[in-house]
Amino acid sequence: MKNCCIVFDVDGTLFDTKNGIIKTLNYVLKEFGKDAIDPQDEDKYIGPPIKKSLMKYQCMEDMEADEATILYRRNYVECFVHESVMYDGVIETLEALKNQNVILGIATMKTMPQLEALLIDYKCSEFFSVLKAAKEDGSLSKTQMLKDIKEIYPMVKYFLMIGDTRGDYQAAKEAGYCFVAADYGYGEIKDLNAVHISKITDLLDKVCLLY
């Protein structure tokens, strides 16, 4: 699989980050005088930009959502990012792909400090050649991240993204990537017209079918 670049989402794809994200959000909501998130609604907060979720689901205005997002980012890195759990088979899959000379990358709506804390915790930074993370002001979309990665590797022929939300799927399509749906994640994506995997190790069998 030479001449191939595979880009991973983080939340719901490489890591189960739900526990830390929800704990941080509930802390922030309490500080802003709001109720904790209903357990039935937790999954919809995983993946999209935090500010966008706060405005959509908590009816925050732009400035209030900005303040809440700043508080969220600080407390997530300082207190809750370490509660994330890497999915079974991630290291095995990354090692196998790396050994086949596949370029591996990450595109995430987490900020770089959040992403780096996760990769350091699980000692997996070495596998990734390129990291793209959200800007503090939310101005960098996942679509643009994927396009930027393409520009870094102009000689690469095949680009593939692994993600677990419709937002990931849309970003991949807009950037000209093939898409693999991580059905084990948080998004409701089983109906998407894409290659699907039920665990990350399935990727090793599926990726060869795409090219």
Side-chain angles (χ1 to χ4, degrees):
M1 285 188 288
K2 293 181 179 179
N3 207 21
C4 177
C5 176
I6 297 179
V7 180
F8 294 85
D9 172 50
V10 172
D11 300 319
T13 303
L14 293 174
F15 295 92
D16 181 351
T17 53
K18 179 178 177 178
N19 194 42
I21 289 173
I22 297 302
K23 282 186 176 181
T24 312
L25 280 169
N26 283 335
Y27 169 81
V28 170
L29 291 174
K30 183 178 180 180
E31 291 295 304
F32 280 75
K34 294 181 177 291
D35 294 334
I37 298 168
D38 189 311
Q40 295 183 350
D41 295 330
E42 290 176 351
D43 284 1
K44 64 188 181 184
Y45 286 84
I46 314 299
I50 293 301
K51 179 181 177 180
K52 182 178 179 180
S53 294
L54 291 171
M55 294 179 72
K56 182 176 181 179
Y57 302 122
Q58 295 294 329
C59 301
M60 288 189 177
E61 298 296 331
D62 187 74
M63 187 175 296
E64 183 183 30
D66 277 335
E67 294 174 0
T69 300
I70 291 170
L71 181 61
Y72 169 89
R73 287 172 174 164
R74 182 172 70 244
N75 281 273
Y76 182 74
V77 171
E78 292 177 355
C79 304
F80 298 111
V81 70
H82 307 294
E83 296 194 23
S84 302
V85 177
M86 179 181 278
Y87 286 112
D88 290 342
V90 167
I91 295 298
E92 172 189 340
T93 301
L94 296 177
E95 284 181 340
L97 292 171
K98 196 75 171 179
N99 287 338
Q100 296 179 59
N101 298 315
V102 176
I103 297 168
L104 302 178
I106 285 177
T108 178
M109 295 314 298
K110 280 182 160 29
T111 60
M112 192 60 75
Q114 295 169 351
L115 174 59
E116 289 176 340
L118 273 176
L119 298 182
I120 289 170
D121 260 9
Y122 284 91
K123 300 178 175 62
C124 58
S125 300
E126 64 186 279
F127 294 109
F128 300 101
S129 300
V130 57
L131 303 176
K132 289 292 180 179
K135 292 185 176 180
E136 293 290 341
D137 62 3
S139 62
L140 182 60
S141 69
K142 189 165 285 188
T143 298
Q144 190 58 53
M145 293 179 198
L146 296 177
K147 289 181 178 179
D148 290 346
I149 291 173
K150 270 192 166 183
E151 291 182 2
I152 293 172
Y153 300 105
M155 301 304 292
V156 170
K157 185 176 181 181
Y158 301 114
F159 288 88
L160 173 68
M161 185 191 179
I162 319 299
D164 72 310
T165 67
R166 292 179 182 274
D168 293 332
Y169 173 79
Q170 188 62 37
K173 293 304 178 185
E174 290 174 355
Y177 282 59
C178 291
F179 184 75
V180 172
D183 290 345
Y184 55 85
Y186 303 111
E188 296 179 359
I189 58 172
K190 292 184 178 180
D191 63 327
L192 289 179
N193 182 21
V195 172
H196 292 259
I197 56 175
S198 59
K199 57 184 184 299
I200 195 164
T201 51
D202 291 345
L203 180 61
L204 298 175
D205 296 324
K206 299 285 188 179
V207 70
C208 293
L209 302 176
L210 294 169
Y211 304 120

